[in-house]
Amino acid sequence: MAQLQMTGAEIVLKALADQGVDTIFGYPGGAVLPIYDALFKQNNIRHVLVRHEQGAAHAAEGYARSTGKPGVLLVTSGPGATNAVTGLTDALMDSIPIVCLTGQVATHLIGNDAFQEADTVGITRPCTKHNWLVKDINDLARVMHEAFYVCKAGRPGPVVVDLPKDIQLQTGPYVPPTQVQHKSYRPQIKGDLNKIREAVELIANAKRPIFYTGGGVINSGPAASQLLREFARLTGYPVTSTLMGLGAFPASDGQFLGMLGMHGTYEANNAMHDCDVMINIGARFDDRITGRVTAFSPGSKKIHVDIDPSSINKNIRVDIGIVGDVAHVLEDMIKVWKSKVYRPDKEALGEWWKQIETWRGRNCLRYRQTGDIIKPQYALQRLFELTKGPNTYITTEVGQHQMWAAQFYGFDEPNRWMTSGGLGTMGYGLPAAIGVQVAHPDALVIDVAGEASILMNIQEMSTAVQHRLPVKIFILNNEYMGMVRQWQELLHGGRYSESYMNSLPDFVKLAEAFGAVGLRVSDPTKVDDTIREMVDIKRPVIVDCLVDKNENCFPMVPSGAAHNEMLLGPEDQANVSEAGAALV
Amino acid sequence: MDGVRSHTIALLVDNEAGVLARVIGLFSGRGYNIESLTVAQVDGSRNLSRITVVTSGTEMVIEQIKAQIDRLVPVHKVTDLTIGGPSLERELALIKVASTGEKRVEALRLADAFRARVVDSTSQSFVFELTGSTTKIDAFIDLMKGLGLVELSRTGVVAIARGAEPL
């Protein structure tokens, strides 16, 4: 059979189509003009023009996280590529599969400091799972297909394919995905059965167990969330989740203790500290979770299921480490549980739940909405009550509003919650919301934002308006970089160095300037009406919700503290150790 | 620190542009130590290179280093020769010694004792070639310091497991 011959630019688009890509996010420039020309001549792939390449990367992340499919972005050489670096790093930290296609100067110019040349594979090597510079047209189709395989296989992550302009213009052979197999990269999917049996026995004999679940459950796909629910129901054990894992287990379920970690619930963190068997499913013992490592859950046996062998024993030494995909391992765990006819220790479990209920009784997320100033927690609680549902997707920026959203917005399904966890990227939420809305045109997509974060990628309002993407931006405006201010209060004697947002724009007028709708609310009694109005408008909306400027985010495990040393509110004297103050 | 020890790790990697940068970047990016590093193509037909890296750390750090290297896409195999059974380690050094008179005679005499070969000589200098374990080469170099050592070039460690089994 004669091989299909086409130009490099056509090979790129054909490979995207054959990989099931329907949408790409991008920004044109000199080094990608041949691809944009090929794009112009076809109708398979929709291109969403962003206003900054960082926005393209986060939009691709939002698309990927809400669909489970890789997100794709196309940017030019030099500044196009370097602008995408923050988004690539964000995707690496949160294990999000995205494919970033970058233009590059022609192969004969590489290394000559040509116009808009940057060493893209060099710059992106530490912030991608893998990257390729295509220097031969005969490699192009294979590399494109390998890029999709690598970004999804094992622990997902971002990849970059750097495409010199002359390669885009040359003619070469196209091979379909079925004829491409990576020569060596085969991550382990099935867990070791002996270890799984050992783990299930430990789980069955636990007196004070807890499931500690993370983003790995979401990344493993919807089946993993179902299996987690099944295993939790079989055992009756409590479940807590990291920021990344919210939605894998229903927030409305009585077995759910809420999020754990630095701003997690009192019951979740105390249960983690006092448990005798910890079952980590797809989480990575991040420092936001563990607090002081030496005081982390001192009395427990720890089981860790992770698809990435390097996550096991990285921060916390575990007793049983199982390398494998969450869904596969959970399926095997359930099989073993059933075949061995294990039963939980009813008496011990009853005692454990009684203890957990007393912790719950502290009602650690309590706040008081009094007076005529909106409490940020109240605004989010009302947002949740008035917008919850399986067709609602929430993205966030980074800071206090993000933690409040995690605490007060309950998710019952996976893939509904998009937030920058590992990297903590301010400016993530709006472009991510755009990516989500593109993938789910009829869904309600809300970016919970702060007035500082939103300004980092506010230009993407143009993208939303141009593509008729009715994203909602719900700004909790306290005129501070709230989390910075909170830490300065806690650690730096209340010296609010540069954390006050001076000269803020009028967000209502700003929305209008972009051709969107702006709403403002400052009266607690008007919050509900404003949210309803926002939902009813079928266009992009910015809500400027003026909230209490001095509210802090609690509970809080201060840096360097243990899980059972939480601050529950402003009445708790903050006591941060010197070692803790050096941590971020 | 407790239990810090040196480990010799052998990697088989695709011989492609940037692969060494990926391995080295991982060490510098994660704050691991490189004591020695050698690399060369070892299998032309499968286009594979072998990297031998000597690093040090606690057991937990070494385990991390191996897991981190293993998840690099072009890495085919990672083996810890230090804990994987008996193995051989060798280094090659080229050592330039410039001296005259008694010192020159003494340098030559010691070279003979160490089984170093003279690969270049002038009336004022020798270049010795010496192969052996790192400690043997260190010992020879120490002796040459008093006898006119002027320049040194070492390959770093290459290593292989004993016995019939390949990597």
Side-chain angles (χ1 to χ4, degrees), chain A residues 125 128-132 150 155 182-185 308-317, chain B residues 14 16-18 21-22 30 46-47 59-60 63-64 67-68 70-76:
Chain A
R125 202 173 281 129
T128 54
K129 186 173 170 187
H130 195 61
N131 60 16
W132 294 261
V150 168
R155 180 176 180 173
H182 196 278
K183 59 182 162 186
S184 61
Y185 187 64
D308 179 359
S310 76
S311 282
I312 291 170
N313 292 331
K314 181 170 69 181
N315 299 329
I316 298 288
R317 179 143 305 271
Chain B
D14 284 324
E16 62 181 30
R22 287 181 209 284
R30 293 187 181 268
R46 290 162 65 210
N47 203 27
E59 195 190 329
M60 200 159 159
E63 194 186 325
Q64 255 303 294
Q68 292 287 354
D70 204 19
R71 71 182 189 144
L72 294 176
V73 171
V75 170
H76 289 237

Side-chain angles (χ1 to χ4, degrees), chain A residues 40-229:
Chain A
F40 190 81
K41 297 175 191 156
Q42 58 84 53
N43 287 315
N44 291 328
I45 293 166
R46 176 183 183 193
H47 179 272
V48 175
L49 177 67
V50 296
R51 297 302 186 268
H52 185 289
E53 289 87 351
Q54 186 190 351
H58 294 322
E61 286 188 272
Y63 181 94
R65 290 182 64 168
S66 65
T67 61
K69 286 161 48 177
V72 182
L73 65 148
L74 170 60
V75 300
T76 194
S77 63
T82 57
N83 278 344
V85 162
T86 301
L88 294 169
T89 312
D90 192 274
L92 185 73
M93 290 289 269
D94 285 347
S95 309
I96 309 302
I98 62 174
V99 177
C100 174
L101 307 173
T102 55
Q104 181 55 279
V105 300
T107 47
H108 69 276
L109 290 173
I110 290 177
N112 286 6
D113 298 326
F115 177 64
Q116 292 196 329
E117 183 189 354
D119 175 10
T120 300
V121 286
I123 290 168
T124 60
R125 202 173 281 129
C127 65
T128 54
K129 186 173 170 187
H130 195 61
N131 60 16
W132 294 261
L133 167 63
V134 181
K135 291 172 92 169
D136 182 345
I137 184 75
N138 295 303
D139 294 335
L140 179 56
R142 175 182 59 80
V143 168
M144 285 294 297
H145 297 314
E146 279 187 5
F148 276 86
Y149 168 70
V150 168
C151 85
K152 290 183 288 187
R155 180 176 180 173
V159 297
V160 164
V161 182
D162 201 21
L163 301 161
K165 194 170 181 182
D166 54 333
I167 301 291
Q168 299 169 34
L169 292 166
Q170 284 168 23
T171 300
Y174 181 75
V175 286
T178 46
Q179 289 173 29
V180 174
Q181 201 187 23
H182 196 278
K183 59 182 162 186
S184 61
Y185 187 64
R186 305 271 182 283
Q188 188 176 340
I189 303 298
K190 289 283 280 180
D192 180 316
L193 250 183
N194 287 326
K195 284 187 176 175
I196 288 174
R197 285 196 197 99
E198 204 187 324
V200 176
E201 190 182 346
L202 191 61
I203 293 169
N205 292 320
K207 311 275 183 217
R208 299 184 309 281
I210 187 163
F211 284 105
Y212 149 44
T213 63
V217 186
I218 313 266
N219 269 337
S220 178
S225 293
Q226 288 311 316
L227 290 160
L228 172 65
R229 291 160 195 222

